[in-house]
Amino acid sequence: MAIDYKVLGIQKPGTDEPQYLKYYPRPTSAQRVEIEELAEEISYSTTLTDVEVEGVIKALIKQMQLHIANGRIVALGKFGSFRITFHAEGVATREEVKATSIKKVNLRFCPGTGLSKALDLRNLKFRSIEAGSATEEPELP
């Protein structure tokens, strides 16, 4: 299998000059793997049924929601961890900082060693899907 990508031209913000146009590979939208499919796949390597695995995953998500809503970092071993980050309005002094300065809350995922290995360029293959071509590129050194 390979990761499909397309080429995207991106202009430098605030300019229309062609010399500021650069081209980058961007991953294409991949097919989603839903919780039911994961549960079925996991059930084949355990003594649990797919319904039981799905129940465990849903319970995990519910508990994660509770802990994250209380500002805790949820660490899932080699899978990775989830934590809250803020986008906030800057102010001149410490005393001016209020909860109302927070404009947006995001959830940040930091992959653990188990998932980070999956992102090792030495183990990945890429395939351009531009203009109908689906040619696999040689593996990186």
Side-chain angles (χ1 to χ4, degrees):
M1 294 288 298
I3 299 171
D4 293 339
Y5 70 90
K6 60 185 174 184
V7 177
L8 184 64
I10 299 176
Q11 191 78 27
K12 182 178 178 183
T15 182
D16 290 330
E17 298 176 38
Q19 70 264 30
Y20 293 111
L21 181 66
K22 301 258 180 165
Y23 294 90
Y24 301 89
R26 291 290 186 247
T28 61
S29 297
Q31 257 188 334
R32 290 170 56 108
V33 177
E34 298 292 339
I35 194 171
E36 296 82 8
E37 184 179 349
L38 284 171
E40 187 176 331
E41 292 169 350
I42 293 168
S43 74
Y44 286 117
S45 61
T46 67
T47 58
L48 301 172
T49 68
D50 55 340
V51 174
E52 292 170 327
V53 173
E54 190 175 334
V56 169
I57 294 170
K58 287 179 177 179
L60 173 66
I61 292 168
K62 185 174 183 175
Q63 290 308 121
M64 288 177 65
Q65 289 171 336
L66 292 172
H67 289 293
I68 288 167
N70 285 309
R72 298 185 75 188
I73 296 171
V74 176
L76 301 174
K78 290 183 179 181
F79 180 74
S81 62
F82 296 84
R83 65 181 171 88
I84 287 177
T85 62
F86 296 147
H87 284 272
E89 195 176 288
V91 291
T93 65
R94 294 177 64 84
E95 294 74 30
E96 292 178 80
V97 175
K98 307 284 184 235
T100 55
S101 300
I102 300 168
K103 300 301 176 196
K104 187 176 179 183
V105 178
N106 289 322
L107 186 61
R108 177 165 164 84
F109 173 69
C110 298
T113 56
L115 284 182
S116 292
K117 288 179 184 177
L119 300 176
D120 188 333
L121 281 173
R122 295 172 291 191
N123 301 326
L124 296 174
K125 293 182 181 180
F126 301 94
R127 179 177 60 174
S128 173
I129 60 164
E130 289 299 310
S133 80
T135 58
E136 210 165 291
E137 295 183 9
E139 292 184 37
L140 297 172

